[in-house]
Amino acid sequence: MTFLSFCFLKNDSVSVQVEQADAGLPPTERSSSLPVFSHDEVTKHRSLEDGVWVTYKGGVYDVTEFVPMHPGGNKILLAAGGALEPFWALYAVHDQEYVLEILSKYKVGELSAEDLKKQGEAKESDPYSSDPERHPVLRINSKKPFNAEPPPEILTESYITPHVLFFKRNHLPVPQVDPASYRLQVEGLPRGALTLSLKDLKTRFPKHTVTATLQCAGNRRSDMNQVKEVKGLNWGISAIGNAKWSGARLRDVLLAAGFGPDVAKWARHVHFEGLDKDVTGSAYGTSIPINKAMNEDGDVLLAYEMNGEDIPADHGFPVRVVVPGVVGARNVKWLGRIVVSAEESSSHWQQHDYKVFSPGTDWSKVDHTSSPAIQELPVQSAITVPADGAQIDHSDETLTVKGYAWSGGGREVVRVDVSLDGGKTWQVAQLRSGDKGQPDEPSPPPGRSWAWKLWELTAPLPPDADELEIICKAVDNGYNVQPDTIPPIWNLRGLLNNAWHRVKVKVT
Amino acid sequence: MTFLSFCFLKNDSVSVQVEQADAGLPPTERSSSLPVFSHDEVTKHRSLEDGVWVTYKGGVYDVTEFVPMHPGGNKILLAAGGALEPFWALYAVHDQEYVLEILSKYKVGELSAEDLKKQGEAKESDPYSSDPERHPVLRINSKKPFNAEPPPEILTESYITPHVLFFKRNHLPVPQVDPASYRLQVEGLPRGALTLSLKDLKTRFPKHTVTATLQCAGNRRSDMNQVKEVKGLNWGISAIGNAKWSGARLRDVLLAAGFGPDVAKWARHVHFEGLDKDVTGSAYGTSIPINKAMNEDGDVLLAYEMNGEDIPADHGFPVRVVVPGVVGARNVKWLGRIVVSAEESSSHWQQHDYKVFSPGTDWSKVDHTSSPAIQELPVQSAITVPADGAQIDHSDETLTVKGYAWSGGGREVVRVDVSLDGGKTWQVAQLRSGDKGQPDEPSPPPGRSWAWKLWELTAPLPPDADELEIICKAVDNGYNVQPDTIPPIWNLRGLLNNAWHRVKVKVT
């Protein structure tokens, strides 16, 4: 296990279940012959010059030498001179045995019994304790921060995904926001900042409703991980959902804030900051290109409703950005701040995450400036029914295959091909833009197809087959197609797996 | 050979060299015992009711039974009661022996010697006789209409393709247009038609210049044809080129013609008609969605210059449409008419050609309404150097691979991966947007990357290899990728082959 293994404290590379048993250092080490230090002594060591000391469960550690190797970079200095516990509570990836092993190497002493007692009395608060309740049907990829997806076979039962079943992808604890005191700051425009209350957003701007599919860049990562290990949450095929979002158009808000021809000359990006903050007080942040924000056909919303109700806490209450056709990561939840800028966001999530590299690029040679931040997503589809490994009754005359298909950038999925024989022959699935038996939603204009299509194929069960390899692949109206296999699109973060989806079923 | 083999008289499916030796019916048949008919008698047979008779080189043919089987449909009736020669001169695909064999079955008599003489005296005109001279370096796929492409290794020698080397893709003879009397009709708007001279176009509207790559939907068809036979011109990898186009913006012209909010409520498409007409007088025509036409970022031009000079005859003199990011077929040359409409063009090329179907769809079950007309094109790349089958010197230490990469819809190519080992490992190529050694063109805003990138990789020659399979694949900024193989994207017209491009070279 190398230090790179926990390289992503702030992002979605938490590839393990982070809630584990309360692992501590072996009690025997408590009675070591190491010197005893007071809390005051520890606090003097807060820089590389003075040494970087931290405490953990009564031990004192000089981690100065570890600082340059800390995958989270200089953020480790925030804990210098004090206890690690509150930071590790936020970045739960640290709660693993090998992390404690690394730490143990740097032990230099014991905290005085008196100061240890004081630390114990300081109320240990779990920053995730206010997170909302979630439905137990969700498959959890990480508890803290909470990341979970619905079972695939449920996902495609409804064209509009109920919020309870909509995948949750949180980078930090869910912030508690009082809607009455909520204020959105709009900055970077010549007139000065504009401050909007939730009521302002609802009353000063026309309400627009857009049906849009959101997908996490890590959707289907688990299959890519099987080709060769990647770093990231081990998402299945359900880190995607389709909802009706309602709110003010970002375009309208920016125009009200003073966006005009003069601003258009220099403005290139719009930054979004969430109210979800890490222990250093820095918020989740990212940006989108200005033309997506200002284009009348871009349909970017500052949404305050999801499926006709207040946006639930896990999805950004009271206001989130919805950037249709664009990777989930730009659809900032718990929106606190908007900044119009000539530059792209300098945030970690814009510059050092959510980028894709060549399959030949490994961590030793990755150059994050060589690849653009993901915005529009490529064409995607997956099979939700039957499940991989399912058993099909040999006496069935027909087999029904179901799934979803979607493409980024407002490109409409125009065809889904399904193979029951591992790709030798293909049949065209039925597409729909509504619930089964219900009329389809009206077709949006070209370039504004933000919602997925559900698809279904019922075909004769191939005779005499013991096993079927079922494959789906979608085509969008830019006639982009999915690649045949995963290895050529493999990338170290396991992002944007849109290779053909394959499931194998037994015929018994 | 079935009747379907010459199903596409009007489009680009002419998969054979159409200029052949002057094949005629065997002279022995002239002295048959069949009855002799006068021209007047023949002219009475111009309908299914009266029979459909035609003459060809002195023979009289009753083709009534053949009419329902004619792949070109009812257009055969235009020749009814008269000579086939002028029609076959236009649709040179008929000049093949098997067509004459089919015709011979329907022979019912001889044309009277007197009338045959009159026919001979009627000046036989070749509708292609006014076509411009072309450079002999071009590889000809069809002479009449003229379709040709440059050798790949020349194509990527310059970032801007000289017009002489730019692929020619004509559906019909090149029309002779007098620039002084040229008039463009703009119709469909409430104010009535607007008529613009070439001078009007040049003086009444700002001149915009856009560097845009045009690609034929049939580019790389020959490789798809090798997987399984398709119908269409047998294009190699050079039915693509990059030029600087200058002209008036379509948007500006439509606004001047009265396009406004009221029109926006119902207008959905913009039709273009060329001045190139078939023998029935119907022009080449097609349409694009209104939002592409009116979007300020759409950059659709009514171009009168190519690479800083008047547009050459083969490329649409005096005015052609340039629809950046969209399939070549919509970039109508010799533009005569623009119509704003609620409906898509009903033309053959919009409704019954330039559509892609599932690999499982054959001619017996194709439903053209099931697939949208191609507009934006998918991500593409190809290797221009070395050529397939080239010999590499074993003592060379390095190998240089070159090519082009481009994507439709204004999506920028952000990476090209090259493999020298059949796809096992990949290296990232250097991209450029200008000539080698020259500064790159400035990056366009997101969504407006209309021009290709040239790429190059110089890598150590793998040791001990007798043969290399070199592959390239591109990624655009929507992170769309090329599919691994051709069979899953095979389609009966051989369109949009954007699978990885592969060349094999020998190391000797």
Side-chain angles (χ1 to χ4, degrees):
Chain A
M1 193 66 86
T2 71
F3 291 116
L4 280 170
S5 300
F6 58 129
C7 189
F8 295 95
L9 306 187
K10 299 182 63 175
N11 56 41
D12 73 342
S13 65
V14 187
S15 60
V16 293
Q17 293 291 326
V18 291
E19 274 283 274
Q20 297 189 340
D22 182 27
L25 295 176
T28 51
E29 298 199 25
R30 290 290 300 146
S31 56
S32 67
S33 58
L34 290 170
V36 172
F37 295 105
S38 69
H39 175 69
D40 284 352
E41 181 61 31
V42 172
T43 60
K44 290 173 186 162
H45 299 278
R46 305 195 59 189
S47 66
L48 292 171
E49 294 73 31
D50 302 324
V52 176
W53 289 19
V54 294
T55 68
Y56 185 74
K57 294 194 175 175
V60 176
Y61 302 85
D62 177 355
V63 296
T64 316
E65 286 180 6
F66 177 67
V67 171
M69 296 181 286
H70 182 238
N74 278 347
K75 289 221 161 175
I76 195 173
L77 294 178
L78 292 162
L84 282 177
E85 281 87 344
F87 294 88
W88 285 15
L90 192 71
Y91 303 127
V93 68
H94 292 88
D95 278 340
Q96 296 185 76
E97 201 159 344
Y98 77 91
V99 178
L100 295 172
E101 280 169 22
I102 293 167
L103 183 65
S104 68
K105 295 178 196 160
Y106 297 102
K107 189 163 187 182
V108 292
E110 303 288 352
L111 191 60
S112 73
E114 187 184 355
D115 286 332
L116 178 60
K117 191 175 165 210
K118 279 185 194 159
Q119 269 196 1
E121 285 163 1
K123 191 170 174 60
E124 272 192 38
S125 74
D126 175 359
Y128 293 94
S129 60
S130 303
D131 265 23
E133 290 291 311
R134 283 96 178 195
H135 196 283
V137 76
L138 294 174
R139 294 178 181 176
I140 297 172
N141 293 312
S142 146
K143 274 191 182 166
K144 299 178 181 181
F146 192 75
N147 287 282
E149 64 190 303
E153 64 274 24
I154 294 180
L155 178 63
T156 49
E157 283 305 291
S158 53
Y159 177 71
I160 298 294
T161 313
H163 75 83
V164 169
L165 298 176
F166 206 98
F167 77 99
K168 324 289 180 204
R169 199 279 170 259
N170 297 341
H171 293 85
L172 291 160
V174 174
Q176 302 275 296
V177 185
D178 169 21
S181 61
Y182 170 80
R183 294 293 182 273
L184 173 63
Q185 301 293 325
V186 185
E187 301 174 13
L189 292 162
R191 261 191 227 159
L194 174 70
T195 303
L196 296 169
S197 69
L198 184 56
K199 190 178 168 193
D200 290 336
L201 262 185
K202 291 184 176 180
T203 57
R204 285 181 50 187
F205 305 95
K207 181 177 174 179
H208 287 262
T209 296
V210 173
T211 303
T213 295
L214 298 190
Q215 181 183 223
C216 177
N219 192 31
R220 301 186 56 207
R221 178 181 283 133
S222 56
D223 282 346
M224 192 173 276
N225 195 42
Q226 288 190 356
V227 168
K228 186 177 151 194
E229 193 183 6
V230 297
K231 301 295 175 197
L233 290 164
N234 209 33
W235 294 106
I237 65 170
S238 300
I240 186 169
N242 187 47
K244 274 187 200 291
W245 308 95
S246 306
R249 287 204 300 192
L250 172 61
R251 174 188 156 86
D252 295 340
V253 170
L254 293 184
L255 288 172
F259 191 99
D262 282 349
V263 178
K265 285 179 193 157
W266 57 262
R268 294 292 174 270
H269 302 270
V270 181
H271 300 211
F272 305 120
E273 277 185 21
L275 295 166
D276 48 337
K277 292 182 176 160
D278 64 21
V279 280
T280 72
S282 80
Y284 180 81
T286 188
S287 65
I288 63 170
I290 191 76
N291 58 351
K292 174 67 179 172
M294 293 306 297
N295 190 332
E296 287 190 73
D297 294 344
D299 290 326
V300 181
L301 295 185
L302 305 181
Y304 42 77
E305 286 180 13
M306 178 182 188
N307 297 340
E309 297 179 354
D310 287 350
I311 291 196
D314 259 333
H315 296 284
F317 181 83
V319 175
R320 82 172 299 173
V321 191
V322 173
V323 193
V326 162
V327 63
R330 315 296 168 219
N331 293 252
V332 173
K333 302 195 276 193
W334 316 291
L335 182 68
R337 193 160 164 255
I338 297 173
V339 183
V340 175
S341 173
E343 305 298 331
E344 202 178 25
S345 166
S346 61
S347 84
H348 170 83
W349 297 278
Q350 192 80 15
Q351 300 298 336
H352 295 99
D353 197 359
Y354 296 115
K355 294 189 171 188
V356 174
F357 301 92
S358 174
T361 301
D362 62 24
W363 288 107
S364 72
K365 56 184 173 189
V366 62
D367 169 12
H368 280 88
T369 64
S370 70
S371 207
I374 300 170
Q375 298 284 348
E376 291 184 5
L377 291 179
V379 60
Q380 176 70 290
S381 69
I383 298 161
T384 55
V385 175
D388 192 46
Q391 307 239 338
I392 308 290
D393 190 334
H394 187 266
S395 65
D396 288 349
E397 289 183 2
T398 60
L399 174 65
T400 295
V401 187
K402 298 183 192 179
Y404 62 77
W406 180 72
S407 189
R411 291 180 283 283
E412 183 180 11
V413 166
V414 298
R415 200 181 80 233
V416 172
D417 296 328
V418 177
S419 175
L420 304 182
D421 54 11
K424 287 192 201 80
T425 63
W426 299 91
Q427 300 176 67
V428 178
Q430 288 285 326
L431 307 181
R432 59 187 161 85
S433 299
D435 280 321
K436 203 167 177 184
Q438 300 296 312
D440 276 0
E441 286 209 344
S443 278
R448 293 168 74 184
S449 288
W450 311 123
W452 68 8
K453 299 210 175 172
L454 300 183
W455 58 262
E456 191 168 324
L457 174 79
T458 297
L461 191 63
D464 306 327
D466 297 332
E467 191 181 56
L468 304 179
E469 185 181 15
I470 309 176
I471 304 180
C472 73
K473 62 182 177 82
V475 184
D476 70 23
N477 67 353
Y479 280 100
N480 284 292
V481 300
Q482 300 179 236
D484 312 19
T485 61
I486 298 175
I489 58 166
W490 184 95
N491 59 91
L492 34 71
R493 284 285 282 110
L495 298 169
L496 307 191
N497 177 11
N498 75 326
W500 299 354
H501 188 227
R502 299 162 191 258
V503 302
K504 284 187 178 166
V505 298
K506 297 250 182 245
V507 184
T508 52
Chain B
M1 192 69 82
T2 72
F3 292 117
L4 279 170
S5 301
F6 61 128
C7 189
F8 295 94
L9 306 187
K10 298 181 63 172
N11 53 44
D12 73 343
S13 67
V14 186
S15 61
V16 292
Q17 292 292 327
V18 292
E19 273 282 276
Q20 297 188 342
D22 183 27
L25 294 175
T28 51
E29 297 198 25
R30 289 290 300 147
S31 54
S32 69
S33 57
L34 290 170
V36 172
F37 296 103
S38 69
H39 176 68
D40 283 351
E41 182 60 30
V42 172
T43 60
K44 292 174 184 161
H45 301 277
R46 305 198 56 188
S47 67
L48 292 171
E49 295 73 31
D50 301 324
V52 176
W53 288 18
V54 294
T55 67
Y56 184 74
K57 296 194 174 176
V60 176
Y61 302 86
D62 178 354
V63 296
T64 315
E65 287 181 6
F66 177 67
V67 171
M69 295 181 286
H70 182 239
N74 279 346
K75 290 222 160 174
I76 195 174
L77 294 177
L78 293 162
L84 281 177
E85 281 86 343
F87 294 88
W88 285 14
L90 193 70
Y91 303 128
V93 69
H94 291 89
D95 277 340
Q96 296 184 76
E97 201 159 345
Y98 77 92
V99 179
L100 296 173
E101 281 169 21
I102 293 167
L103 182 65
S104 68
K105 295 180 195 158
Y106 298 102
K107 189 163 188 181
V108 291
E110 304 287 353
L111 190 61
S112 73
E114 188 182 356
D115 286 330
L116 178 60
K117 192 174 165 211
K118 279 186 197 160
Q119 269 194 359
E121 285 163 0
K123 192 171 172 60
E124 270 192 38
S125 74
D126 175 0
Y128 293 94
S129 60
S130 305
D131 265 23
E133 289 291 310
R134 283 95 178 194
H135 196 283
V137 76
L138 295 173
R139 295 178 181 177
I140 296 172
N141 293 311
S142 147
K143 276 192 184 166
K144 299 178 181 183
F146 192 75
N147 288 281
E149 63 190 303
E153 64 273 23
I154 293 179
L155 178 63
T156 49
E157 284 304 292
S158 53
Y159 178 70
I160 298 295
T161 314
H163 76 83
V164 169
L165 297 175
F166 207 97
F167 76 99
K168 325 289 178 203
R169 199 278 169 261
N170 298 340
H171 293 85
L172 291 160
V174 173
Q176 301 276 294
V177 185
D178 169 19
S181 60
Y182 170 80
R183 294 294 181 274
L184 173 63
Q185 301 293 327
V186 185
E187 302 174 12
L189 291 161
R191 263 192 227 159
L194 174 70
T195 302
L196 296 169
S197 68
L198 184 57
K199 189 179 169 194
D200 290 336
L201 261 185
K202 291 184 177 182
T203 57
R204 285 181 50 187
F205 305 96
K207 180 177 174 179
H208 286 263
T209 296
V210 173
T211 303
T213 295
L214 298 189
Q215 183 184 222
C216 176
N219 191 31
R220 302 185 56 204
R221 178 182 283 132
S222 55
D223 280 346
M224 192 172 274
N225 195 44
Q226 288 190 355
V227 167
K228 187 176 149 193
E229 193 183 6
V230 297
K231 301 294 175 200
L233 288 165
N234 208 33
W235 294 105
I237 65 170
S238 300
I240 186 169
N242 187 49
K244 274 188 200 289
W245 308 96
S246 306
R249 287 204 301 194
L250 174 60
R251 171 188 159 85
D252 295 340
V253 170
L254 293 182
L255 288 171
F259 191 98
D262 282 350
V263 177
K265 285 179 191 156
W266 57 261
R268 293 292 173 271
H269 302 269
V270 181
H271 300 211
F272 306 119
E273 275 183 23
L275 295 167
D276 47 338
K277 291 181 177 161
D278 64 20
V279 282
T280 72
S282 82
Y284 181 81
T286 188
S287 65
I288 63 169
I290 191 75
N291 57 352
K292 174 66 180 173
M294 293 305 298
N295 190 330
E296 289 190 72
D297 294 343
D299 290 326
V300 181
L301 296 185
L302 306 180
Y304 42 77
E305 287 180 14
M306 177 183 189
N307 297 340
E309 296 178 354
D310 287 351
I311 291 194
D314 258 332
H315 297 284
F317 182 83
V319 176
R320 80 173 299 174
V321 192
V322 172
V323 193
V326 161
V327 63
R330 313 298 167 219
N331 293 253
V332 174
K333 300 194 276 193
W334 316 290
L335 182 68
R337 194 160 164 254
I338 297 173
V339 184
V340 175
S341 173
E343 306 298 332
E344 203 179 26
S345 166
S346 61
S347 84
H348 170 83
W349 297 278
Q350 192 80 16
Q351 300 299 333
H352 295 99
D353 196 0
Y354 296 114
K355 294 189 171 189
V356 173
F357 301 92
S358 175
T361 302
D362 62 24
W363 288 107
S364 72
K365 55 184 173 189
V366 62
D367 169 12
H368 279 89
T369 65
S370 69
S371 207
I374 299 171
Q375 297 284 347
E376 290 184 6
L377 290 179
V379 61
Q380 175 70 288
S381 69
I383 299 162
T384 54
V385 175
D388 192 45
Q391 307 241 335
I392 308 290
D393 189 333
H394 188 266
S395 64
D396 288 351
E397 288 184 2
T398 60
L399 174 65
T400 295
V401 186
K402 298 182 192 180
Y404 64 75
W406 180 74
S407 189
R411 290 180 283 283
E412 183 181 12
V413 166
V414 297
R415 200 180 80 234
V416 172
D417 296 328
V418 177
S419 176
L420 304 183
D421 55 10
K424 288 191 200 80
T425 62
W426 299 91
Q427 300 176 67
V428 178
Q430 287 287 326
L431 307 180
R432 58 188 162 86
S433 299
D435 280 321
K436 202 167 177 185
Q438 299 296 312
D440 276 0
E441 285 208 345
S443 278
R448 294 169 75 183
S449 288
W450 311 123
W452 67 8
K453 298 209 177 174
L454 301 184
W455 56 263
E456 189 169 326
L457 175 79
T458 297
L461 190 64
D464 306 327
D466 297 333
E467 191 181 57
L468 303 179
E469 185 182 15
I470 309 176
I471 304 180
C472 73
K473 64 184 176 79
V475 183
D476 70 24
N477 67 353
Y479 281 100
N480 284 293
V481 298
Q482 299 180 236
D484 313 18
T485 60
I486 298 174
I489 58 167
W490 184 94
N491 61 90
L492 37 70
R493 284 285 282 111
L495 298 170
L496 306 190
N497 177 13
N498 74 326
W500 300 353
H501 187 229
R502 299 163 192 257
V503 302
K504 284 186 178 165
V505 298
K506 297 252 184 243
V507 184
T508 53

